[in-house]
């Protein structure tokens, strides 16, 4: 896949924290997905995806980054303080699945073009 486009500073990717957890153990602990969702909802955490094959559940929580300015700029942009994951974001199309307005997109690489 080839990444195209550019960041237009909507700030959406800096407003949530996403986590991946082990699906079967988590569901065992809570008894069911419904029970897990109830438990997490009291902490502001949403279950946004489930992949049985990969044995993964995906969480998202609204925790804005402290380095995000009011006009959606990154205070640590171009500095060694910027986390690696932010430098790389988005690295897959799944990264922006829930952000339809992201300025980046992913498209199959054209034949003869170097893969990115
Ligand atoms: S969601 Fe996309 S366009 Fe918006 S700030 Fe993040 S990288 Fe930039
Ligand atoms: S460090 Fe910068 S790019 Fe990373 S989440 Fe915070 S504001 Fe966004």
């Amino acid at each position: 896949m080839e990444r195209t486009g550019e960041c237009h500073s909507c700030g959406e990717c800096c407003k949530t924290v996403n986590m991946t957890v082990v699906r079967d153990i988590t569901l065992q602990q809570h008894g069911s997905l419904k029970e897990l969702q109830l438990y997490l909802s009291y902490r502001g955490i949403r279950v946004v995806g489930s992949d049985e094959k990969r044995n993964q559940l995906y969480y998202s929580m609204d925790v804005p980054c402290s380095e995000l300015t009011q006009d959606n700029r990154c205070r640590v942009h171009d500095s060694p303080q910027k986390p690696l994951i932010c430098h790389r974001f988005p690295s897959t199309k799944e990264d922006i699945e829930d952000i339809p307005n992201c300025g980046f997109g992913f498209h199959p690489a054209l034949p003869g073009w170097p893969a990115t």
Side-chain angles (χ1 to χ4, degrees):
M1 284 287 193
E2 187 184 358
R3 191 175 84 174
T4 58
E6 59 185 8
C7 177
H8 53 66
S9 299
C10 69
E12 283 309 308
C13 59
C14 308
K15 293 176 182 168
T16 58
V17 173
N18 299 316
M19 288 175 64
T20 303
V21 301
V22 181
R23 187 178 183 280
D24 57 1
I25 294 172
T26 307
L27 292 181
Q28 261 170 36
Q29 283 171 338
H30 290 269
S32 70
L33 180 60
K34 202 174 156 207
E35 277 296 320
L36 170 68
Q37 284 172 316
L38 176 67
Y39 172 80
L40 293 176
S41 69
Y42 295 150
R43 290 153 175 82
I45 302 171
R46 299 180 301 279
V47 180
V48 293
S50 169
D51 188 328
E52 211 169 328
K53 224 160 139 190
R54 289 187 171 158
N55 194 24
Q56 292 175 338
L57 284 174
Y58 308 106
Y59 294 177
S60 184
M61 56 198 109
D62 296 330
V63 184
C65 178
S66 60
E67 300 307 323
L68 185 66
T69 65
Q70 288 214 329
D71 59 349
N72 290 331
R73 301 280 160 182
C74 173
R75 273 191 204 92
V76 292
H77 187 65
D78 276 342
S79 93
Q81 300 310 311
K82 185 167 178 173
L84 181 62
I85 197 165
C86 301
H87 277 294
R88 290 177 170 169
F89 187 90
S91 54
T92 66
K93 68 179 170 56
E94 285 75 24
D95 286 344
I96 50 172
E97 231 164 36
D98 296 328
I99 314 177
N101 295 329
C102 178
F104 289 104
F106 287 86
H107 306 281
L110 292 171
W113 281 57
T116 52

